[in-house]
Amino acid sequence: MIQLAQGNIVEQDLDAIVNAANSTLLGGGGVDGAIHRAAGPELLEECRTLGGCPTGEARITAGYRLPARHVIHTVGPVWYGGSRGERDLLRSCYIKSLDLAAEHGLASVAFPSISTGAYGYPIESASAVAITTVKQWLEDPRSVTLVRLVCFSEEDYEVYEGLVSGE
Ligand code: AR6
């Protein structure tokens, strides 16, 4: 099932939370900064061993001091206006993150709104990609049964809610 929530993703007590990282996987601002601060320095140490991650792909680490057992780091596309494959890359972030969770036998995963902060992807189209991609992925039963989409702001939550209730 898909759930919507509003708040800080670092507080989510699920099997994994997803990080909207950059391709170095060495930390940054936004949700990435919040996750690294809450997880503690061991997270960065493990990330250093991974050698980065291309846009549209995902990598998994432990969650350290977070309530979540794992962090799945994915790298969303920078928005250039929509003509540089942004939609397919964003879709791939959700699919690859969920595939990785399933490979590790995880049951519950929380996502932030990938690419819609520093990377500039418009929230209206990014939320539609997030919801349709996750719904499609869940149609084929695997270990993941709960996906929670966590919006940081009230405004973003309303956009997501409008899409979910409008279907
Ligand atoms: N919990 C949930 N959502 C959050 C949180 C939080 N604690 N903090 C921010 N958001 P962004 P991006 C929301 O910029 O656009 C980093 O520097 C935020 O409101 O975190 O994918 C990385 O290192 C927005 O809706 O990620 C990369 O360099 C969403 O999370 C770059 O930013 C994504 O905003 C990635 O940019």
Side-chain angles (χ1 to χ4, degrees), residues 7-10 20-22 27-35 76-77 112-121 123 150-153 156:
N8 189 340
I9 202 166
V10 304
N22 61 64
V31 72
D32 195 4
I35 289 173
S113 184
I114 298 163
S115 282
T116 65
Y119 282 179
Y121 205 122
I123 184 74
V150 180
C151 302
F152 201 42
S153 71
D156 288 354

Side-chain angles (χ1 to χ4, degrees), residues 120-134:
Y121 205 122
I123 184 74
E124 288 77 13
S125 37
S127 55
V129 171
I131 290 166
T132 50
T133 305
V134 169

Side-chain angles (χ1 to χ4, degrees), residues 104-165:
H104 286 76
L106 309 185
S108 55
V109 180
F111 282 90
S113 184
I114 298 163
S115 282
T116 65
Y119 282 179
Y121 205 122
I123 184 74
E124 288 77 13
S125 37
S127 55
V129 171
I131 290 166
T132 50
T133 305
V134 169
K135 269 197 178 163
Q136 253 173 26
W137 192 93
L138 286 170
E139 278 169 15
D140 186 11
R142 295 173 73 181
S143 67
V144 181
T145 52
L146 170 63
V147 175
R148 191 173 290 159
L149 304 176
V150 180
C151 302
F152 201 42
S153 71
E154 179 75 38
E155 294 76 36
D156 288 354
Y157 180 82
E158 279 164 14
V159 173
Y160 272 75
E161 208 186 23
L163 281 174
V164 165
S165 59

